[in-house]
Amino acid sequence: MTETADRSPVKTHCPYCSLQCGMAISRKGRAGIEIGAWEEFPVNEGAMCRKGWTSGELRGSRERLTTPMVRDRATGELRAAEWDEALDHIARRLAVLQAEHGNDAVAVFGGGGLTNEKSYQLGKFARVALGTSQIDYNGRWCMSSAASAGNQAFGVDRGLPFPLVDIEQADVVVLVGSNLAETMPPAARHLDRLRERGGKVVVIDPRLTSTAERADLFLQPVPGTDLALALGVLHLLDAQGAVDEEYVARRTTGFDEVRRSVAAWWPERVERTTGVATDELRALVDLLAGNEKVIVLTARGAEQHAQGTATVLGWLNVALALGMPGKPSSGYGCLTGQGNGQGGREHGQKADQLPGYRMIDDPAARAHVAGVWGVDPDSLPGKGRSAYELLESLGDGGGPRALLVFGSNIVVSAPHATHVTQRLESLDLLVVCDIVMSETAALADVVLPITQWAEESGTMTNLEGRVILRRRAITPPAGVRSDLDVISGLASRLGAPIDFSTDPEEIFEELGRASAGGKADYSGITYARIAEEKGVFWPCPATDGDAAPHPGTPRMFTESFPTPDGRARFLVQEFAGAAEQPDASYPVHLTTGRVLAQYQSGAQTRRIKGLTDEGAFVEIHPMLADRIGAHDGDPVLVRTRRGEMKAPARVVTTIRPDTVFVPFHWVGANRLTNDALDPSSRMPEFKVCAAEVLV
Ligand SMILES: Nc1nc2c(c(=O)[nH]1)N[C@H]1C(S)=C(S)[C@@H](COP(=O)(O)OP(=O)(O)OC[C@H]3O[C@@H](n4cnc5c(=O)[nH]c(N)nc54)[C@H](O)[C@@H]3O)O[C@H]1N2
Ligand SMILES: Nc1nc2c(c(=O)[nH]1)N[C@H]1C(S)=C(S)[C@@H](COP(=O)(O)OP(=O)(O)OC[C@H]3O[C@@H](n4cnc5c(=O)[nH]c(N)nc54)[C@H](O)[C@@H]3O)O[C@H]1N2
Ligand code: SF4
Ligand SMILES: [Mo]
């Protein structure tokens, strides 16, 4: 699949978020390109947000890296190098470090923006070429709590177990901690159509966001209390006799214990814990009890907590008690975030996983995958550390001494970032593959310039579990290479026992075989099918001989759940609250998140002229502003137990008076955040900690 020789537009997908909006790229003039709409792609129907429309701007920009760089020992500066020189240098250093300190002295950090092919090759590279167990990725900071909850309750983790358009036909959609109107703007059309049909939208967020403005009911809890809210909802549903007893008996286990566990969550207690008034709670419960088709969706606001998994399970219990999962236009889903947030967690770049969403400590899984790779199962390492624990252990932390980064800007996006940055600085070797000189690349000993999105082809799996094809549409600048070339070049220099292909389609076929029989089975999917069908939903197993191809699985759980007994599990959850509570020194809650015009660490979007780079700001309520004597636009200092940052105040009535909000797209927010981890997903508590605000 390469760009077309003629000038007809190439249908591909946006470089950024998990909506993976379809777009059509055409050549313009001699070297230019034009981003246009691909109307027929069903997820976005030609609509895109500002980030999508301006995504071509990094092409040809002086901000692009186009030559490898190696840090000069004498001057301490990065200097241009040839590809061979840079790769030889890395391979030599890795071999020495591993000979001295063992295979686990080298770690790999991947990203949920990498294609399926890259994620797969990266996991294989770590286990086979490096023989290290130390690999994880930024998806751990994204949807891992929802993934953990989905696996526990449903026996599988697919963000949305139904196509996004299904929400148009629901009666009620509850968004818990999602600012979809800013984080996936074209998706808001589906909510608008639901409301045109008379359906209701509920938003739960400590801030009245642009998403909440579209809601019929808005609940504004204290950050970190969503679990208590979910327990209170289930308590009232049960008290009102709104539990679907027939569904619960036929399709689930464990409800009796959960029913007993929510008995003490009466509305007044919920109000005291969450700040949500009892009549608002009752209004929500009435909507849920009085409608047939309810969808509950969680996003990072509910999930990025030390109790993120428990919170999702609390809401999952609500959806199950209502009898929703598996029914048309009903159920529970997680709105995954990164471009390949879904696929990125299926093919083996996670510390505990092998391709096909198999577990690395399962002997049968190891045997199957080792067979596809052509290596001895015993040669595969075991489980490694989770993302934050890995970073925290680097260098002076006593763990790996070298780190290879593919697709993450850790210095900006890791929690407790000052501490993490110190760990990066204490490494013997830091290698960063990127398309721009990110804050993390600027610290590296070797920086490798990478092709960006439509300069190469590969598949992505969007938030619906739909495997799509990002076709190559533009010629990369001279000097850049794909991550696949880097992996292959390093593997051969390290004397890997097998070859690492650089051809995406060939890798996808192998990935299909490696995933066959696993939970995320891609073996029946081909590039040709994706192109024909506008994406194929997994699981999609290969079929034998003349049998008709498997149609893919747009809707899951219609008959049963992929658990050993086919039933979903109700699991008891105890509310503990945020790891750090306000006190006299740090009296307010700090939460963090996103704005429309910037993407993640901002490495890409802060370099695009067409996007407003407003810089960091601190959203505070007028009551708090008055108390500290701040006015709109004044610089304020936000301080937590871990660090501080200064940014202009944005005084707004839309936030809770006891809460402040800072976007994390600029350096600073993560100097403040808490690195308390969820015990099951190892998700850091990005969404709440105790802070002080001063003028
Ligand atoms: N513009 C833009 N879009 C993006 C991205 C981006 O960086 N920029 N990133 C993509 C990625 S990777 C992701 S993960 C998604 C994230 O998408 P979202 O989850 O929608 O984004 P956030 O802004 O992180 O958080 C959503 C909301 O959670 C609220 N919140 C904070 N604390 C709490 C809490 O304790 N409880 C509740 N109920 N809500 C809370 C915040 O006020 C915020 O409005 O967006 C994707 N899309
Ligand atoms: N305080 C706070 N912190 C957060 C969050 C929050 O809500 N609050 N959200 C968390 C979440 S949900 C996420 S997903 C993370 C994301 O945070 P990061 O992991 O930093 O994600 P990006 O900024 O997308 O970084 C991707 C990097 O890879 C580069 N890149 C893009 N494509 C490729 C490619 O194909 N190959 C290579 N090698 N490089 C590429 C980009 O230029 C960029 O430098 O941040 C987390 N951090
Ligand atoms: S919503 Fe997401 S995928 Fe669509 S254009 Fe915006 S950033 Fe790109
Ligand atoms: Mo994310």
Side-chain angles (χ1 to χ4, degrees):
M1 295 275 160
T2 52
E3 62 210 280
T4 45
D6 62 29
R7 288 185 166 245
S8 62
V10 179
K11 289 172 182 150
T12 190
H13 297 270
C14 175
Y16 306 117
C17 87
S18 62
L19 210 54
Q20 283 300 290
C21 290
M23 58 167 61
I25 301 186
S26 34
R27 307 247 190 113
K28 202 178 129 200
R30 255 198 316 159
I33 55 159
E34 191 167 64
I35 307 273
W38 172 11
E39 310 275 355
E40 300 78 31
F41 187 67
V43 181
N44 61 308
E45 302 167 325
M48 277 187 280
C49 78
R50 262 139 67 191
K51 300 186 294 304
W53 291 115
T54 54
S55 56
E57 280 188 34
L58 267 184
R59 178 186 146 83
S61 141
R62 284 167 47 192
E63 296 279 355
R64 276 299 290 279
L65 296 171
T66 53
T67 173
M69 280 186 266
V70 177
R71 196 166 295 279
D72 191 286
R73 284 207 173 176
T75 65
E77 301 293 318
L78 285 168
R79 61 161 177 82
E82 296 296 323
W83 270 98
D84 276 339
E85 180 195 354
L87 293 176
D88 288 347
H89 174 78
I90 299 169
R92 228 175 13 244
R93 299 279 290 128
L94 294 179
V96 169
L97 287 168
Q98 288 194 315
E100 278 175 17
H101 307 283
N103 284 359
D104 280 358
V106 177
V108 176
F109 200 87
L114 302 178
T115 60
N116 289 319
E117 292 78 1
K118 291 180 180 187
S119 309
Y120 173 80
Q121 287 297 80
L122 199 60
K124 181 164 95 167
F125 170 74
R127 274 64 174 243
V128 177
L130 292 169
T132 180
S133 66
Q134 302 297 300
I135 173 169
D136 212 60
Y137 80 124
N138 68 7
R140 206 53 100 152
W141 303 335
C142 189
M143 36 22 73
S144 62
S145 291
S148 170
N151 281 323
Q152 290 180 51
F154 292 151
V156 72
D157 148 42
R158 200 183 85 183
L160 292 181
F162 43 74
L164 193 66
V165 291
D166 279 14
I167 66 182
E168 293 179 11
Q169 303 305 322
D171 299 320
V172 180
V173 171
V174 185
L175 292 164
V176 194
S178 159
N179 185 9
L180 178 125
E182 288 201 62
T183 53
M184 301 174 184
R189 67 188 42 236
H190 302 301
L191 292 179
D192 293 343
R193 289 184 194 149
L194 162 92
R195 295 186 68 205
E196 281 159 24
R197 278 186 43 252
K200 303 283 185 225
V201 175
V202 182
V203 170
I204 304 175
D205 196 306
R207 302 185 305 137
L208 181 94
T209 57
S210 43
T211 312
E213 271 163 20
R214 299 171 183 236
D216 300 278
L217 178 65
F218 169 55
L219 307 187
Q220 198 168 18
V222 173
T225 63
D226 299 84
L227 174 56
L229 198 64
L231 299 173
V233 167
L234 191 50
H235 170 101
L236 278 182
L237 285 172
D238 194 25
Q240 293 188 9
V243 172
D244 183 341
E245 306 283 353
E246 188 274 327
Y247 177 97
V248 167
R250 190 168 48 86
R251 300 213 49 186
T252 71
T253 60
F255 182 61
D256 290 342
E257 291 82 357
V258 167
R259 171 174 266 163
R260 276 196 295 279
S261 72
V262 298
W265 282 96
W266 53 88
E268 292 72 20
R269 182 175 173 207
V270 174
E271 178 175 319
R272 274 203 308 280
T273 312
T274 66
V276 173
T278 54
D279 56 341
E280 288 171 353
L281 180 68
R282 286 182 194 282
L284 169 59
V285 169
D286 288 346
L287 269 183
L288 300 179
N291 281 287
E292 234 163 74
K293 291 185 275 178
V294 175
I295 293 181
V296 178
L297 299 173
T298 61
R300 301 312 81 78
E303 300 164 13
Q304 287 173 324
H305 293 277
Q307 274 209 300
T309 306
T311 302
V312 174
L313 284 167
W315 285 101
L316 248 158
N317 286 345
V318 169
L320 287 169
L322 289 165
M324 296 299 158
K327 286 208 305 210
S329 292
S330 313
Y332 163 80
C334 145
L335 295 162
T336 293
Q338 297 182 83
N340 198 25
Q342 180 70 49
R345 66 206 205 229
E346 298 164 358
H347 308 298
Q349 60 173 331
K350 201 161 165 251
D352 53 358
Q353 280 178 10
L354 289 172
Y357 224 129
R358 290 182 162 89
M359 301 316 288
I360 203 164
D361 49 11
D362 167 4
R366 295 169 66 87
H368 171 82
V369 173
V372 175
W373 289 352
V375 300
D376 177 358
D378 292 336
S379 71
L380 300 179
K383 254 189 203 177
R385 297 176 172 95
S386 79
Y388 183 75
E389 290 163 297
L390 173 60
L391 297 177
E392 141 76 12
S393 77
L394 295 173
D396 289 350
R401 313 189 63 98
L403 179 72
L404 313 179
V405 181
F406 294 80
S408 180
N409 187 7
I410 297 162
V411 168
V412 180
S413 53
H416 198 179
T418 324
H419 179 59
V420 166
T421 305
Q422 281 162 1
R423 290 288 195 244
L424 292 176
E425 285 165 348
S426 75
L427 284 167
D428 292 325
L429 179 70
L430 173 63
V431 178
V432 174
C433 303
D434 209 307
I435 57 186
V436 294
M437 187 59 87
S438 71
E439 285 77 3
T440 311
L443 288 185
D445 301 291
V446 185
V447 181
L448 299 174
I450 299 296
T451 37
Q452 69 164 339
W453 127 93
E455 292 166 358
E456 54 187 341
S457 51
T459 61
M460 309 283 282
T461 305
N462 80 350
L463 78 172
E464 312 165 283
R466 183 198 301 257
V467 185
I468 52 149
L469 184 59
R470 244 195 211 170
R471 288 180 188 78
R472 176 174 154 141
I474 35 187
T475 315
V480 305
R481 293 190 186 173
S482 166
D483 295 288
L484 296 175
D485 295 305
V486 173
I487 292 170
S488 169
L490 287 178
S492 60
R493 283 172 175 79
L494 289 163
I498 52 172
D499 282 339
F500 283 74
S501 168
T502 55
D503 175 34
E505 192 161 1
E506 192 177 298
I507 298 168
F508 188 77
E509 280 162 25
E510 183 187 308
L511 174 166
R513 277 183 281 124
S515 76
K519 280 181 180 164
D521 192 329
Y522 281 49
S523 58
I525 309 179
T526 60
Y527 275 27
R529 256 192 88 174
I530 301 175
E532 247 165 63
E533 300 171 31
K534 302 195 183 80
V536 180
F537 292 80
W538 70 258
C540 180
T543 47
D544 288 335
D546 296 334
H550 189 284
T553 314
R555 293 177 184 83
M556 302 178 95
F557 318 142
T558 48
E559 304 297 323
S560 68
F561 295 93
T563 52
D565 60 6
R567 289 159 176 261
R569 306 216 169 323
F570 275 100
L571 296 161
V572 172
Q573 304 307 321
E574 301 288 344
F575 175 74
E580 200 179 62
Q581 296 292 340
D583 57 17
S585 313
Y586 299 98
V588 298
H589 303 279
L590 166 74
T591 190
T592 61
R594 295 162 165 80
V595 298
L596 202 165
Q598 293 296 323
Y599 190 66
Q600 313 275 62
S601 72
Q604 289 154 281
T605 45
R606 279 187 271 123
R607 293 178 161 83
I608 289 182
K609 288 194 197 71
L611 294 173
T612 34
D613 185 353
E614 58 213 317
F617 57 87
V618 184
E619 232 180 64
I620 64 174
H621 192 274
M623 276 158 66
L624 179 57
D626 267 1
R627 206 170 76 216
I628 63 168
H631 302 99
D632 193 53
D634 286 355
V636 289
L637 185 75
V638 186
R639 186 182 285 159
T640 70
R641 286 189 176 81
R642 290 150 298 277
E644 56 183 47
M645 71 170 282
K646 214 175 209 175
R650 205 175 265 189
V651 181
V652 295
T653 54
T654 46
I655 192 165
R656 287 182 59 91
D658 58 5
T659 302
V660 297
F661 168 85
V662 182
F664 85 101
H665 311 293
W666 297 271
V667 178
N670 275 319
R671 290 187 195 137
L672 307 170
T673 47
N674 192 354
D675 54 3
L677 301 182
D678 179 289
S680 126
S681 65
R682 317 310 281 166
M683 162 76 81
E685 192 144 70
F686 286 118
K687 284 290 189 275
V688 61
C689 65
E692 180 188 22
V693 191
L694 310 159
V695 282

